[in-house]
């Protein structure tokens, strides 16, 4: 089941419950207090989404195909035998890209989905609502680690009988476990009643809405502290799928006589994301295969059964990425001026308040063709500027347009690079441009290539840009000759052997007679016997004697067989 196939998807199905086992939260004081209220006021809007979304869906959600009821018993639920064992309000979890155009720009949590909804296959013309508050606030993009992640799915049991939920299978070992808790009807009643008051036209953070904090704490607070205070608390049943491959969970029957006390519950699936460098290299910038978990449901004491499948979709990303992989400066000659280029160093995982910490200011270095630091000044990173938070929306839109897929940007820096064909009295070397900008940030090192061509007074005949030695037997070695032409006579060339590669190649440059107002040189490249097996890439570096001492770099390629 894909995200677009949710029937119906939740409008506001709520925040992820706290992991009360590993990170207990202190119980709120008996009579509240300003400090405790402020700690819970931030996620209050998300809590409204849970309550309103669950109420709306529990009243209007039609039965999906994966909730088909089997058996003929007339059950005690409102729907009789047509009532499914459990009604899950969502069956998929993923990060939902908001549409931030127009007036939506200032309301990222409430903006509609930027992903165009689709028609369900079984109901052409009925648009699927893909917006979900839980999906909107979900991380969705993770750095590889061994940390355990949680994906919550809310549900309701409308049957008077209890229901058993049993795992039937998971798609891979990344989906490592699960836990289930039934929400005490008394806690659900408090939430519903306070949310009804909060819906009055008095503002989202009125006295009524802030009054929801304490009933919310009865669901998401520390269970031990709540029980000590005589208040209802969640009882979690946890399982690790590698230890218990077919765990069963029990959900109490409904006793909602007053209409305010539904039997809600939360199923949380736990999973891990990657952890190996190969995982990141294979999946960087793409959505990995979604995790799937299938469950069977049975209304206890009856023949009625059903099934649900849950999907968790996410992306693997490094702590820092670059908006482009190359800068092509084109063809440069003696009349070319300086060029300025920009690119983004951004993170989908790091930023203010992120569990992965903020994205630190990148450290940049310019590397030459051999990987050593280039200090010539022809290529320079001149500016690194943090993108203001208000402009991250535009950065996300720009990346999404360039990548042709949604882009999540939590923090970013604009990096400015200047390319100078001439520095002082020195000119950039003639030939193919091969430079690398190394960017270190977010715990990773990313690289951007600078390519192009510098035209000058020296060139290969036929205007070739590299020298191909072809294929030869490594045991025999090879010798290859090419002609170099200078645009005017009197230009003296020499081989810079210490910068030419591979180091075992023998380069010989011999002056030839001038012709037609141009100078000619014969370059002989020798690969000694037994020195090379396999493919090789290198460069021959020449220097124009006198004047500015401009250099010429020509790539050399070859392949030696056994």
């Amino acid at each position: 089941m894909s995200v677009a196939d949710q029937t119906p998807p939740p409008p506001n199905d709520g925040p992820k419950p706290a992991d009360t086992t590993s990170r207990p939260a202190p119980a709120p004081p008996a009579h509240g207090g300003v400090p405790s209220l402020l700690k819970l006021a931030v996620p209050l809007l998300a809590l409204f989404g849970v309550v309103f979304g669950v109420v709306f869906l529990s009243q209007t959600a039609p039965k999906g195909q994966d909730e088909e009821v089997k058996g003929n018993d007339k059950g005690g639920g409102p729907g009789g035998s047509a009532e499914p064992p459990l009604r899950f309000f969502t069956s998929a979890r993923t990060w939902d890209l908001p549409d931030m155009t127009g007036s939506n720009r200032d309301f990222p949590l409430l903006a509609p989905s930027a992903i165009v909804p689709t028609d369900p296959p079984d109901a052409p013309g009925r648009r699927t609502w893909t917006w979900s508050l839980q999906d909107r606030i979900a991380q969705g993009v993770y750095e590889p680690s061994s940390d355990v992640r949680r994906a919550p799915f809310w549900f309701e049991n409308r049957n008077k009988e209890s229901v058993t939920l049993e795992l039937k299978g998971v798609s891979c070992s990344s989906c490592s476990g699960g836990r289930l808790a039934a929400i005490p009807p008394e806690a659900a009643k408090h939430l519903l009643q306070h949310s009804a008051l909060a819906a009055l036209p008095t503002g989202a953070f009125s006295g009524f809405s802030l009054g929801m904090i304490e009933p919310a704490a009865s669901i998401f607070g520390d269970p031990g502290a709540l029980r000590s205070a005589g208040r209802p608390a969640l009882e979690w049943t946890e399982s690790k799928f590698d230890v218990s491959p077919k765990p069963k969970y029990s959900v109490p029957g409904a006793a909602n006589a007053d209409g305010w006390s539904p039997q809600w519950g939360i199923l949380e699936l736990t999973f891990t994301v990657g952890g190996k460098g190969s995982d990141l290299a294979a999946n960087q910038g793409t959505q990995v295969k979604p995790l799937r978990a299938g469950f069977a449901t049975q209304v206890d004491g009856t023949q009625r059964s059903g099934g649900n499948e849950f999907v968790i979709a996410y992306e693997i990303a490094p702590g820092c990425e670059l908006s482009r992989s190359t800068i092509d400066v084109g063809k440069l000659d003696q009349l070319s001026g300086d060029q300025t280029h920009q690119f983004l160093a951004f993170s989908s995982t790091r930023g203010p308040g992120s569990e992965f910490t903020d994205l630190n200011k990148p450290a940049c270095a310019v590397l030459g063709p051999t990987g050593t630091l280039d200090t010539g000044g022809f290529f320079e990173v001149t500016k690194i500027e943090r993108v203001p938070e208000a402009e991250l929306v535009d950065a996300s839109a720009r990346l999404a347009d360039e990548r042709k897929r949604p882009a999540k940007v939590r923090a970013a820096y604009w990096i400015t690079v200047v390319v100078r064909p001439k520095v002082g009295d020195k000119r950039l070397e003639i030939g193919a441009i091969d430079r690398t900008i190394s960017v270190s940030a977010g715990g990773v090192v990313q690289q951007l290539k600078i390519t192009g061509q510098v035209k000058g007074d020296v060139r290969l005949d036929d205007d070739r840009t590299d020298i191909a030695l072809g294929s030869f037997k490594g045991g025999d070695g090879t010798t290859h000759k090419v002609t170099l032409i200078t645009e005017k006579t009197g230009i003296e060339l020499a081989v810079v052997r210490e910068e030419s590669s591979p180091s075992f190649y023998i380069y010989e440059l011999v002056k030839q007679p001038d012709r037609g107002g141009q100078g000619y040189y014969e370059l002989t490249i020798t690969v000694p016997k037994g020195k090379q097996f396999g493919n090789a890439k290198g460069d021959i570096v020449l220097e124009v004697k006198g004047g500015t001492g401009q250099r010429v770099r020509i790539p050399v390629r070859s392949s030696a067989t056994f």
Side-chain angles (χ1 to χ4, degrees):
M1 175 182 295
S2 66
V3 178
D5 290 334
Q6 299 178 42
T7 309
N12 301 307
D13 54 340
K16 176 179 176 180
D19 182 354
T20 54
T21 301
S22 58
R23 294 182 295 275
H31 300 289
V34 173
S36 62
L37 293 181
L38 292 177
K39 289 180 181 180
L40 286 173
V42 174
L44 191 58
L45 181 60
L47 178 61
F48 290 156
V50 174
V51 179
F52 292 132
V54 168
V55 172
F56 173 78
L57 289 168
S58 64
Q59 298 297 327
T60 64
K63 174 165 53 65
Q65 290 181 346
D66 59 347
E67 297 172 328
E68 181 180 357
V69 180
K70 299 178 180 179
N72 296 318
D73 289 326
K74 299 294 183 181
S81 61
E83 179 63 31
L86 297 177
R87 287 178 176 260
F88 280 88
F89 308 124
T90 59
S91 58
R93 185 64 61 240
T94 185
W95 176 66
D96 176 43
L97 175 70
D99 178 3
M100 300 301 291
T101 59
S103 60
N104 298 327
R105 187 183 183 92
D106 297 326
F107 302 97
L109 284 180
L110 302 179
S113 173
I115 302 174
V116 179
T118 58
D119 293 345
D122 59 337
R126 181 171 64 80
R127 309 302 281 172
T128 301
W129 190 359
T130 60
W131 185 86
S132 162
L133 186 58
Q134 259 189 298
D135 287 343
R136 183 59 51 80
I137 64 177
Q139 172 66 28
V141 184
Y142 300 94
E143 296 177 28
S145 73
S146 59
D147 294 342
V148 175
R149 311 291 175 185
R150 298 183 182 275
F153 299 93
W154 286 59
F155 63 84
E156 180 183 1
N157 179 14
R158 292 187 177 184
N159 301 281
K160 67 179 181 181
E161 301 90 355
S162 59
V163 173
T164 298
L165 185 74
E166 180 180 7
L167 177 69
K168 304 305 291 185
V170 293
S171 61
C172 66
S173 59
S174 295
C175 193
S176 57
R179 66 177 188 168
L180 184 144
I183 297 177
E186 180 183 349
K189 180 177 182 178
H190 288 172
L191 278 176
L192 284 173
Q193 291 177 338
H194 282 78
S195 67
L197 291 174
L200 295 175
T202 53
F205 289 93
S206 64
F208 287 134
S209 58
L210 289 177
M212 286 184 64
I213 293 177
E214 297 233 358
S218 68
I219 293 181
F220 303 118
D222 175 43
L226 291 171
R227 294 189 196 97
S228 298
R231 299 164 62 184
L234 295 186
E235 297 280 355
W236 289 98
T237 301
E238 302 196 37
S239 301
K240 292 185 176 181
F241 296 160
D242 58 343
V243 177
S244 179
K246 299 290 183 180
K248 293 183 178 181
Y249 307 94
S250 182
V251 180
N256 190 11
D258 59 4
W260 288 94
S261 308
Q263 184 53 68
W264 290 344
I266 305 171
L267 171 67
E268 278 190 355
L269 298 179
T270 59
F271 61 99
T272 55
V273 178
K276 300 179 181 178
S278 58
D279 295 334
L280 181 58
N283 299 305
Q284 177 176 331
T286 60
Q287 191 174 69
V288 299
K289 187 176 181 180
L291 306 181
R292 297 177 181 272
F295 285 83
T297 52
Q298 177 72 48
V299 180
D300 297 334
T302 75
Q303 297 298 314
R304 287 182 291 122
S305 61
N308 299 83
E309 182 183 64
F310 303 95
V311 179
I312 304 171
Y314 61 90
E315 291 184 14
I316 297 178
C320 179
E321 300 178 74
L322 305 183
S323 60
R324 58 198 298 187
S325 59
T326 60
I327 293 175
D328 185 357
V329 301
K331 294 182 178 180
L332 305 179
D333 56 30
Q334 295 181 356
L335 299 179
S336 299
D338 294 354
Q339 295 185 13
T340 300
H341 300 267
Q342 283 190 317
F343 64 94
L344 274 176
F346 70 95
S347 180
S348 298
T349 59
R350 302 193 176 207
S354 169
E355 62 176 284
F356 300 104
T357 72
D358 198 3
L359 180 63
N360 55 295
K361 184 177 181 179
C364 299
V366 180
L367 306 179
T370 60
T372 58
L373 194 64
D374 187 328
T375 58
F378 298 106
F379 305 89
E380 183 182 2
V381 175
T382 59
K383 192 180 299 183
I384 303 175
E385 294 179 299
R386 179 89 176 208
V387 177
E389 186 173 355
E391 297 177 13
L392 292 178
V393 171
D394 297 326
S396 297
R398 177 173 177 172
L399 282 171
D401 183 63
E402 293 175 354
R403 295 178 162 199
K404 308 304 180 185
R405 62 182 180 84
K408 183 175 188 177
V409 179
R410 297 194 63 163
Y413 291 84
W414 278 114
I415 299 178
T416 303
V417 179
V418 174
V419 179
R420 304 182 180 97
K422 184 179 180 180
V423 176
D425 61 352
K426 294 184 178 181
R427 299 197 69 86
L428 186 59
E429 62 193 18
I430 299 170
I433 296 175
D434 182 10
R435 295 295 189 276
T436 300
I437 304 294
S438 175
V439 181
S440 301
V444 296
V445 178
Q446 300 287 12
Q447 293 187 332
L448 178 144
K449 300 290 291 185
I450 301 179
T451 61
Q453 189 76 23
V454 178
K455 297 292 185 178
D457 290 336
V458 182
R459 60 182 173 86
L460 287 169
D461 61 344
D462 296 332
D463 287 328
R464 290 176 295 174
T465 58
D466 62 359
I467 300 173
L469 305 186
S471 179
F472 59 92
K473 289 186 177 181
D476 297 337
T478 190
T479 298
H480 189 82
K481 296 179 183 291
V482 296
T483 300
L484 290 167
I485 303 173
T486 63
E487 294 302 324
K488 55 186 178 181
T489 60
I491 295 178
E492 183 181 353
L493 298 179
V495 177
V496 184
R497 301 187 185 279
E498 63 273 17
E499 293 188 23
S500 300
S501 62
S503 59
F504 56 84
Y505 278 20
I506 299 173
Y507 297 102
E508 294 181 292
L509 189 63
V510 178
K511 181 72 173 72
Q512 303 295 306
D514 297 336
R515 299 195 303 271
Q518 294 179 319
Y520 284 80
Y521 284 84
E522 183 181 76
L523 173 65
T524 302
I525 303 174
T526 300
V527 182
K529 295 179 180 180
K531 285 291 188 178
Q532 177 185 333
F533 294 94
N535 298 327
K537 291 183 178 180
D539 299 278
I540 177 172
V541 179
L542 308 173
E543 184 178 37
V544 179
K545 291 293 186 179
T548 62
Q550 188 174 20
R551 295 189 173 186
V552 182
R553 182 178 297 272
I554 305 173
V556 179
R557 298 179 289 107
S558 63
S559 177
T561 61
F562 288 93

